[in-house]
Amino acid sequence: MIPFDFEYYKPATVAEACETYRTLQEQKKSVVYYSGGTEFITLARVNQISADAVIDLKGIPEVQVLEMQGDQFIVGSAVTLNQIAESRLFPLLAQTVRGVADHNSRNKITIGGNLGSRLSYREGVLPLLLADCKVRVAGGMKGEGERVVSLSDVFDKQLNLEQGEFLLQILVDKEYLDLPYVHLKKTKQSKVDYPLVSVAALVKDKEIRMAFSGICEYPFRLGEIEEVVNNTTFARKEQLKQVVGKLPAAILDDLHGSAGYREFVFRNVVQETIDALEWAQK
Amino acid sequence: MISNGKSKTVIELHVNGDSHEVMVRSGDTLLDILREQLGLSGAKRSCENGDCGACTVLADGKPIHSCLSLAIESCDQSLMTIEGLMGSPIQQAFVDNWAIQCGFCTPGFILNCHALATEHPNASDEVIEEWMCSNLCRCTGYQEIKEAVQSVVRASGNA
């Protein structure tokens, strides 16, 4: 049971959602966009989040889309992780999200919720960062318009949308869907756990692209790391040392794994990934 | 647009083939309402955090943690609790394989296994394990539970 009262709205259109948000804002109410709701309920139950109102986006048809449209793979933000995993239209994304939480939870967790999570892992974003995808965003305080932007423009460490905006759809070009790929997730003990290290990688134009979660405070893709990974003049040991040196933030050091252990796992995972994709570089 | 203010509202839930009017706050979880207003105590209150699977119910045939769903968002779904599952092969398989110890986790496991056998009648061991990761048995009777699921899957796969 959630210990505080809030208003619940489930709009049927983007325009209704935008109008509802603005009206609630004018009434000085705090508003949370809601989709799968697993994180909201978990945090609200223990008073770590509060809201005067939630706007449930699941009734908007555009956020439920999961299909090819021309040369683009379209994923609505309220599509569940299991729907993505089962569709296998983008195998790397399917495999990556299949590693998030447990099967029952993935029947509720949505890709939009995963990208906007307060937790640091947000593994669903890794393949999307590699695929140079775009996102369609709606809402905001200025009008009811939608905008299409590169994911990298609105995702830096976390999803950074403007006030009142919400993620409507993710757009992935067809050319990225069937590229050679690897996803590895290492946990401390249990299969269902937060990652010590999670890596998604694919090969585009004979270059390996890699994005990581779990090793630092936020998920990331870094060109400097990819330069080292694709530099075949390095001996492997030196290559791994260089990759560790390029990490954008301190290695996480917590109950799930010490920094030293995570670094050890990270080196192994990077090596395993390069080994698995070397054939596709030739 | 569906909406609900801060006061309680009457909504209709479709559970086990019947429609029920219940009075909910927006913050009431599906688990709260099933147990406290409909008297359906088969879904167990345990971790309330989506970790244990004891509260598993089926929503449109998909297993979910009812502790991580709001009752108000469930009113357009067809819900099934353990009380609504009659004569399923998986129930007999749990008996035949001694897949029950204290029984607290059993309703959640059975609903999850029923959904698995329905959706994947030829499920591989990998798929069975993936689905079963959603439920915890603190008596640790996992092997018997897995054997119960395998017996149903094998039977339906051979049918």
Side-chain angles (χ1 to χ4, degrees), chain B residues 18-92:
Chain B
D18 293 325
S19 295
H20 302 271
E21 285 193 341
V22 291
M23 185 168 275
V24 301
R25 297 162 58 243
S26 299
D28 287 336
T29 64
L30 178 59
L31 176 65
D32 296 329
I33 299 304
L34 289 174
R35 289 181 63 86
E36 292 162 20
Q37 289 198 39
L38 297 182
L40 298 169
S41 56
K44 303 301 182 201
R45 186 188 303 283
S46 186
C47 72
E48 292 191 81
N49 206 45
D51 294 324
C52 73
C55 67
T56 298
V57 300
L58 304 186
D60 293 333
K62 305 276 187 193
I64 59 163
H65 301 299
S66 61
C67 70
L68 291 186
S69 286
L70 299 177
I72 196 165
E73 67 172 317
S74 308
C75 54
D76 57 354
Q77 293 178 313
S78 172
L79 302 167
M80 179 187 276
T81 68
I82 191 69
E83 290 88 348
L85 190 66
M86 303 284 183
S88 160
I90 195 68
Q91 290 167 304
Q92 188 59 45

Side-chain angles (χ1 to χ4, degrees), chain A residues 33-39 57-58 61-67 73-87 90-101 105-119 121-129 131 133-136 151 154-155 158-159 161 166-172 183 200 219:
Chain A
Y33 284 121
Y34 182 99
S35 182
T38 55
E39 188 167 305
L57 301 172
K58 291 195 292 291
E62 289 93 326
V63 302
Q64 299 288 358
V65 172
L66 178 68
E67 63 187 16
F73 172 47
I74 313 288
V75 190
S77 62
V79 172
T80 68
L81 300 189
N82 273 348
Q83 287 174 308
I84 292 172
E86 285 158 14
S87 81
F90 185 3
L92 174 57
L93 182 60
Q95 189 173 332
T96 304
V97 299
R98 207 174 168 193
V100 175
S105 296
R106 292 198 300 274
N107 277 331
K108 280 224 80 195
I109 300 172
T110 63
I111 188 67
N114 184 255
L115 265 58
S117 171
R118 286 191 179 191
L119 296 172
Y121 306 105
R122 308 179 196 108
E123 290 168 81
V125 81
L126 302 182
L128 305 176
L129 289 173
C133 75
K134 293 184 170 59
V135 290
R136 177 170 287 129
L151 174 65
V154 292
F155 193 97
Q158 60 184 2
L159 194 59
L161 300 180
F166 61 90
L167 189 63
L168 201 59
Q169 291 176 333
I170 297 158
L171 322 173
V172 186
H183 171 254

